[in-house]
Amino acid sequence: MSIKYTPDHEWVKIEADGIVTVGITVHAQDALGDVVFVDLPEVGKAFAEKEVAGVVESVKAAADVYMPVDGEITEVNEGLRDDPSLANSDPLNAGWFFKVKLSNPPQLDGLMDGTAYDELVKNS
């Protein structure tokens, strides 16, 4: 399993069978502060890359969660709806947002690896 990153601070964990899991990065949750609400997409809905797929709200601000690749939502993290603070306490595991069935797998090649993402964050 490898993880890729977007310039919009989403992480994408590549799973088996053309499925990826998407969440917000540690940097994103640090910038947002305490997450109090998440609006997750509808299962079965298809999105294009860079389309807004959800919203995360914190005590400081609201931010869009962008679709990192073209695909269809196969699952959402209901636990995150019940406890939005998971996006802060465990953003890379229990705080995942949704799973996507890829419709254009080569788009993953355009995402950043961990080193490139770390450079982006360091220079922002």
Side-chain angles (χ1 to χ4, degrees):
M1 258 186 291
S2 76
I3 297 180
K4 300 276 195 158
Y5 300 88
T6 74
D8 297 311
H9 308 288
E10 287 96 16
W11 57 262
V12 179
K13 187 184 297 180
I14 302 162
E15 311 280 358
D17 302 324
I19 302 288
V20 297
T21 302
V22 178
I24 62 172
T25 65
V26 171
H27 174 78
Q29 68 83 29
D30 280 345
L32 283 166
D34 294 337
V35 174
V36 296
F37 175 78
V38 293
D39 182 20
L40 299 172
E42 185 180 316
V43 172
K45 184 164 183 188
F47 289 89
E49 179 185 25
K50 299 189 185 201
E51 199 173 351
V52 175
V55 176
V56 59
E57 294 182 15
S58 72
V59 294
K60 290 186 195 176
D64 292 331
V65 177
Y66 296 96
M67 187 65 128
V69 290
D70 296 346
E72 180 182 321
I73 304 297
T74 62
E75 185 179 347
V76 296
N77 185 353
E78 294 297 343
L80 194 58
R81 276 197 230 267
D82 297 338
D83 184 5
S85 70
L86 290 171
N88 295 115
S89 63
D90 196 8
L92 301 177
N93 292 296
W96 62 275
F97 278 56
F98 49 84
K99 295 188 182 218
V100 178
K101 175 78 173 163
L102 298 170
S103 58
N104 188 359
Q107 287 176 318
L108 292 172
D109 296 336
L111 301 178
M112 292 179 275
D113 64 13
T115 303
Y117 181 72
D118 289 344
E119 277 297 309
L120 173 82
V121 170
K122 187 170 79 174
N123 294 322
S124 61

